[in-house]
Amino acid sequence: MATFLLPLLVLCPLAASLIIFISAGRMGARGAGTVACAGIGVAAVLSIIVSVILLSGPTGRELQVTLWPWVHAAGFSADIAFILDRISMIMILIVTIVGLLIHVYAAGYMRDDPGIARFFGCMTLFVAAMLVLVLSSDLLCLFIGWEGVGLCSYLLIGFWYDNPANTAAARKAFYVTRVGDVALLCGLLLLATATGSPRIGAVLAAVTNGQVSASGISMAAFFILLGALAKSAQVPFQAWLPDAMAGPTPTSALIHAATMVTAGVYLIARLHDLFVMAAPVMALTAVLGTLTLLVGACAALVQSDLKRILAWSTISQVGYMFLALGCGVWQAALFHLMTHAFFKALLFLAAGAVIMRARHEQDIFHLGGLRHAMPGLTVTFVIGASALAGLPLVTAGFYSKEMILSGVWHVRFGLTRDWTVTGHPLWAMALLGAFLTALYIFRCVFIVFFGKAGTVVAGRTSRLMTVPLACLCVLSLCGGVIEMPDTLPSLHLFSALLDPATPLSHADEPVWLVLAGAVVPLAGLALAWMLWGRPSSVMRGARTAGGPDGRHDVLSRWQDIPDRAGIAAGALMRAASARVFAVRAGFLDMLARWSGRIGRRGARMLERLHNGRMRWYAAWIAGGLCMALAVAVLS
C-alpha cells in the first residue's frame, strides 16, 4: 500500500498545480483556492496515513518505492525513488500540515488579487517540489526537488512583477542560491563517484565503512555545507532573504516556515553520518550558525519594517539549527525546525492580517495602539512572539531552544587527535542570541500593539484567515511538550521518534543550565518593556508634576536612562552596520577589479593560443596526448 501512497502524496499538489496552470487564468479565485487547498489537504491526510503505517511496523523500518530508472551507465545507476523513514516522516508532516494552513489563509488573503490562479499554481508546485526533496532516496532525485524549490521561490518572490524592486529581489534570491546549488551538485557528484552509487543509504554506508578517504569526505561535506548555507540564508549568503519579503505574505510564510529555508537543515540532518566523519566541517557549521544567529538578531533589532524583522528573525533561528547540526545534536535541530515552522508561520500570517487591515502599512513606527482595534490579532501575535522568544514552560520555542542549548553545552569538538575544544563559548553566544531575540520581537510587539495610535485601521479579518491562525496558536503553545529537559518531567518522545535506539538525553544536566535558558528570555522581555513598553502618558505626567524639592525631576531623569540607552544602542548598531557595509563594499570592489584583471589576462592568453596557425594547434594536441599517456602509464 505504501508503494502506492508515497507517489500519490507528491502527485496531489503537483496535479493541483497543473490543473490551475492549465486553466490559464479562466478559473476564478474561489475555484483556484479550492483546488489548491484540496490538493494540499489530501497530501496532508496521506502523510498522516503513511506515518501511521511506518510507526506501526518494527523499529528501523523504511518504506521504499522506485518509480522508474533514470540513468544507467557502466557501473553507475540513478533512479527516481522515494523513501519514508522517521526523518522524512517528520518533514512531510510539517510541509503538508503547515502548508495546508498557509493555503487556507491565502485563499482569504489573496481573494481580490487578479493573479490568484498563478499564485496558487506556484504555491502548490512549491509544496510538491519540497516533498520530492524530503522523500528522495537518491541524491540526484533530491537535487531535482532542490532546484524545483529554488525555481518556485523565484516565481513567488517576483509574483508582483510590475514593480522593478520585486523582480530585482527575485533575481537576487535566484543568483545567490544558484551559487550554493553549484557547490551542492559538486558535493553530491563527489560522493556518487567515490561510492559508486547516488543512493543515500549506500553513500552513508560506504562513508561509515571507510570506503571513502578522509579528504574526500571533508571535501564533499564542505561543498554540501555551502549549498545548505545558501539555501537557508546563512552567513555569508544571508542577504537574499530579507529582500524576499517582496512577495505576498503567504509566500513569505511558506518559504520561512515549511519549505525553502529549512531545506538546508534537512539536508545536513539527512547526511549527519557523513558530517560526523568530517570534524572540521562540523566545527565550521557550528561557528557559522552561531555567527548567523547573532547577526540576524542584531539586524532585526534595528529594522523598522515588520516583515523584514521577521525575515531577519528567520535567519537567526535557522542559525540555531545550524549550530545544533554542527554540534552533532541533529535531533534538536529538527525539533527546533518543527516548532519554528509553527510560530514563524503564525507570526507571518498574523503580520499579513495586520498589514492588510492597516492599508498595507509595514513600518512599525507608523503603526501603534492596534490592541484596541485588533484584540484577536494582538493575542495571536503575542503568542507567536512568546514562542519565538522562548518564554519558559508555556511555549513550544522554549523546549526546542533549550534542547539546542543543552546539546551545545555538552559538545566537544575533536578537531585533531590531540586538540579538543569545548562548546561552552558557543553556548554563551547562543544564550546572548536568546536575549536579543526576546528584545527585538517584544520591541516590535510593544511598538505595534501597545504604542501610540498610528495609522487608521479598516475591515475585519475573514474566517478563512482566522482558522489557520487559531490552529497555529495551539501548535505554538503546545507543540513542544513532546520533548522536555531532564530537570523537568523527563519526556523525550521526539528524539525517541527520530532515533529509537539512542534517544537524546542529558541525565547529568545541571538545573542552572535550564534556569539560564528560562531567565534570559524573560530578561530580554523586561528590557524591551523598559525601552518601548512603558506608558508614555504616565512618564509625561511624572515629568510635569515636579514639586518644589525637584524629586520628580530626579525621578524623570532616572526613568529617561532606558530611553537614552536605547538611542545610544541604536546609534552604535547603525554605526557598526555602516562600517560592515563599507568593508563589504570595499572587498567586493577589490574582488571585481581583480577578477576583471584576471579575465583580461586570460583573454589575452587565449588570443595568443588561438592565432589561426594549424601547426601550433597540432603541437598542442600532440603535447596534450603525451601528457595523458604519461599520466596513464604512471598511474
Side-chain angles (χ1 to χ4, degrees), residues 99-120:
L100 175 61
L101 295 175
I102 294 173
H103 276 71
V104 173
Y105 174 95
Y109 185 87
M110 300 290 293
R111 64 180 180 271
D112 296 328
D113 195 291
I116 187 172
R118 176 167 53 91
F119 170 80
F120 275 118

Side-chain angles (χ1 to χ4, degrees), residues 237-312:
F237 303 104
Q238 79 281 4
W240 69 267
L241 191 59
D243 292 338
M245 297 301 97
T249 298
T251 294
S252 303
L254 192 63
I255 290 176
H256 289 249
T259 52
M260 182 172 178
V261 175
T262 58
V265 179
Y266 164 78
L267 178 64
I268 298 180
R270 165 63 73 187
L271 301 176
H272 63 271
D273 289 339
L274 168 70
F275 281 82
V276 167
M277 305 293 290
V281 180
M282 287 275 285
L284 178 62
T285 304
V287 170
L288 289 177
T290 306
L291 179 62
T292 302
L293 72 90
L294 291 176
V295 169
C298 292
L301 191 57
V302 295
Q303 298 294 317
S304 61
D305 186 286
L306 180 56
K307 288 180 65 176
R308 290 181 74 90
I309 291 173
L310 299 180
W312 282 107

Side-chain angles (χ1 to χ4, degrees), residues 28 61 93 122 149 166 187 227 288 294 348 352 420 433 458 460 496 503 529 541 584 619 623:
R61 181 187 182 187
L93 290 172
C122 294
V149 166
N166 297 345
L288 289 177
L294 291 176
F348 266 110
T420 302
R460 295 179 61 86
W529 181 85
R584 187 174 69 173

